[in-house]
Amino acid sequence: MLSLARLDAEKNIDATLRIFRQVRAQQPGATLTIAGMGPEADRLRAVARELGVDDATNFAGFVDAREALASHDVLVQPSRADNLSYTLLDAVNSGLGVVASDIGGNPEILPPRCLAPLSDESAMADAVIEQGLDVSKRPHLPDDIPTVSEMVDAVLDVYAELGLAPADLGRELATPVRAAKPAVSVVTAYYKNHATLGEQLDALVAQVDAPPFEVVVADNEGSARLARIVERYRGALDIRVVSANDVQGQCHARNVGVKAARGDVIAMSDADDVVGERWVATLHRVVSQTDVLATGMMRLDVINSEFVCRAKAVADGLDQVPHPYEQGPFSYLGYEVFVFGSNIGIRRSTYLELGGMNEAMLGGSEDVDFSWRLLESGRTIVVDPYATVHYRLRAGTSDAMTQGYRYSRAQVGLWRRSQLLGRPVRGMSFLWAVTETAKLPLAWARAPGLSAEERFALAGRTGWITGNLAGQIAVRAPWYRPPEEPCSI
């Protein structure tokens, strides 16, 4: 075990010593290094003697932090106060087990299994032993750690929101429109996607054999930083931002973006995904030839971490991650196939004729509804393998659970709406939803014995089951009304 902190009261190293005593009771060979200096040094040595752990505790004083992190198994930091601890970040980045108090910015760095309340030192001791003996239980950095420039942008946003920023920080969204009409308008909805938008724009800069195209970013946030992100690409892309924050929801942003588009062909993708190098060219070729809804495969194994891909494979019932790991249009609710909203090619006139995305569908399934309305209009769906989009999966357990809940509840709403429209969708079993929900407490009681990937998959399944139950309760209520038909845009 390692403590790497100033020997001061707020670092709560008394608790570290008590936790160590509990660990040593179960693992007699355990040792503790207390690295650092400070006013509490002499008193803490006395505490170690009182607890009977002084023979296995090394008060090392000043140490080289990298060497200390490289030579220990678990870092323990039950601080009473932490903002965003560089020590925790360094420990996770070094592959150590990490156990800390559930305070301040610690939950932004560590998953729940690495955190415990200050009052529960036994839970911290258990977490130390688990991560000390099983490296698969140790935390890893999330995929969305901000870059230095993104952190600077975030600081500037705080000043902008307080009205203390200089006038040139880029709040103005109006941008010049180039004179030449583009063949394609790439439309993407933006809502707090500052960590990923740059990667998507980089992919658009790198398009191969693409006709002239513009990029329309529909801002559903009212972001203070978006214009600054876009400004970096002004020379490489015909790009502009349009305001779409008057109504909540991705569907509204997409509709606003299409309405503002100048190209006859719309290519639509999300701000947190990454398009393939021939994506624009392929969608333009297909849609300009015939009036269809064009799409390609959604690939999972390029921009997502190996852990997230393994967890997705577990959820899909696969023994290993396939390469390439792709998903494409598939039938839904026993009815027709649908196209993912993050990989769409369509004529602008057709999109407007169909009334765009249904803005009342906020939780998901809006792309299913749109695909079905297009098919019911007599048009078809064309899948071209060159129109690849690298799809970003949720990387956190709580995010996976929340997404599963929202998507599943929205699916139930689409099912009920489709019933009322006379679509032959399959049935929904309320008994199944109740029964599966009742099984969840036992499943989570067994979760400590599962692999990290299996727990991740269980979180997604939990969200999906509970979302289905909540949705069925809502749509079966006598006062339920389905989302209104979309208004023409």
Side-chain angles (χ1 to χ4, degrees):
M1 290 172 55
L2 173 66
S3 170
L4 191 60
R6 176 172 168 78
L7 307 188
D8 212 338
E10 70 175 20
K11 294 303 180 182
N12 200 22
I13 296 173
D14 299 64
T16 300
L17 289 163
R18 292 192 296 270
I19 293 164
F20 176 52
R21 181 175 62 175
Q22 294 190 44
V23 170
R24 200 178 179 208
Q26 300 180 56
Q27 300 292 327
T31 63
L32 170 64
T33 298
I34 296 181
M37 297 181 290
E40 294 274 288
D42 291 340
R43 190 187 66 79
L44 290 170
R45 286 189 178 92
V47 172
R49 288 193 296 271
E50 292 170 7
L51 294 173
V53 297
D54 55 310
D55 60 319
T57 302
N58 175 27
F59 284 84
F62 177 82
V63 300
D64 182 284
R66 291 184 181 180
E67 292 179 3
L69 291 170
S71 59
H72 288 80
D73 296 303
V74 183
L75 182 131
V76 185
Q77 189 166 295
S79 301
R80 294 189 178 95
D82 265 327
N83 293 318
L84 188 66
S85 170
Y86 289 172
T87 304
L88 296 185
L89 285 168
D90 285 339
V92 175
N93 194 45
S94 299
L96 271 72
V98 184
V99 178
S101 46
D102 188 5
I103 61 165
N106 293 354
E108 297 183 38
I109 301 171
L110 299 173
R113 68 179 183 277
C114 298
L115 299 166
L118 281 167
S119 59
D120 196 347
E121 293 173 4
S122 294
M124 291 192 188
D126 291 342
V128 168
I129 294 171
E130 179 182 60
Q131 295 180 56
L133 300 178
D134 186 349
V135 296
S136 71
K137 305 297 186 183
R138 297 178 182 180
H140 54 84
L141 290 177
D143 294 331
D144 57 353
I145 290 291
T147 64
V148 172
S149 64
E150 288 167 346
M151 287 190 282
V152 170
D153 281 345
V155 172
L156 292 174
D157 285 345
V158 173
Y159 283 97
E161 290 164 5
L162 294 172
L164 300 175
D168 61 351
L169 277 182
R171 278 182 167 276
E172 180 57 54
L173 295 179
T175 55
V177 176
R178 296 187 183 178
K181 180 181 177 180
V184 179
S185 292
V186 175
V187 174
T188 186
Y190 178 95
Y191 183 80
K192 297 184 178 179
N193 300 119
H194 56 273
T196 56
L197 178 61
E199 194 173 356
Q200 179 70 290
L201 296 179
D202 287 340
L204 290 169
V205 171
Q207 289 297 290
V208 174
D209 295 334
F213 68 93
E214 68 170 348
V215 180
V216 180
V217 183
D219 178 18
N220 196 231
E221 177 189 345
S223 171
R225 78 178 74 181
L226 176 56
R228 295 197 300 277
I229 298 173
V230 167
E231 185 62 33
R232 302 169 193 160
Y233 294 87
R234 188 78 61 203
L237 292 171
D238 178 1
I239 185 169
R240 56 198 169 99
V241 176
V242 295
S243 179
N245 64 331
D246 54 323
V247 176
Q248 179 190 7
Q250 181 172 243
C251 295
H252 176 69
R254 287 169 172 169
N255 290 345
V256 169
V258 172
K259 188 175 180 180
R262 296 182 297 135
D264 293 331
V265 173
I266 300 298
M268 189 176 292
S269 189
D270 290 344
D272 59 348
D273 297 326
V274 178
V275 299
E277 65 179 7
R278 295 186 178 273
W279 182 72
V280 172
T282 302
L283 293 181
H284 174 260
R285 172 175 51 80
V286 175
V287 173
S288 60
Q289 291 173 353
T290 182
D291 186 8
V292 297
L293 179 58
T295 192
M297 302 303 289
M298 309 294 289
R299 186 164 179 178
L300 310 179
D301 59 316
V302 174
I303 65 172
N304 295 296
S305 70
E306 182 66 24
F307 169 79
V308 172
C309 287
R310 289 198 307 269
K312 174 63 174 171
V314 169
D316 288 345
L318 303 174
D319 294 330
Q320 58 185 3
V321 177
H323 295 284
Y325 194 177
E326 295 179 324
Q327 293 184 330
F330 52 86
S331 61
Y332 201 58
L333 294 177
Y335 186 45
E336 295 284 2
V337 300
F338 79 95
V339 171
F340 291 96
S342 52
N343 192 358
I344 281 180
I346 192 171
R347 292 180 178 178
R348 181 174 181 271
S349 58
T350 299
Y351 188 95
L352 297 176
E353 177 190 327
L354 293 172
M357 299 276 180
N358 189 334
E359 297 184 10
M361 303 180 73
L362 296 175
S365 291
E366 76 289 337
D367 45 7
V368 185
D369 173 75
F370 183 80
S371 299
W372 287 356
R373 285 189 281 119
L374 177 131
L375 291 171
E376 290 162 355
S377 75
R379 298 174 175 90
T380 60
I381 291 172
V382 173
V383 181
D384 192 298
Y386 287 105
T388 298
V389 168
H390 301 287
Y391 181 73
R392 196 179 304 275
L393 296 167
R394 294 293 184 268
T397 301
S398 60
D399 289 340
M401 187 181 298
T402 300
Q403 185 186 59
Y405 179 90
R406 292 175 62 245
Y407 281 6
S408 183
R409 180 163 182 163
Q411 182 197 61
V412 177
L414 175 66
W415 163 75
R416 181 57 179 152
R417 180 172 177 273
S418 295
Q419 279 191 323
L420 297 174
L421 292 173
R423 291 170 177 159
V425 291
R426 62 172 170 77
M428 285 271 182
S429 170
F430 186 72
L431 178 61
W432 174 89
V434 172
T435 301
E436 292 302 309
T437 300
K439 294 177 182 177
L440 290 175
L442 179 59
W444 279 103
R446 295 171 175 169
L450 301 177
S451 68
E453 293 86 353
E454 289 171 330
R455 288 197 299 272
F456 192 95
L458 176 60
R461 177 170 171 77
T462 297
W464 193 264
I465 291 170
T466 55
N468 183 279
L469 177 62
Q472 290 207 56
I473 291 173
V475 302
R476 294 175 189 276
W479 56 83
Y480 172 74
R481 294 292 182 271
E484 296 295 330
E485 289 291 327
C487 298
S488 173
I489 62 170

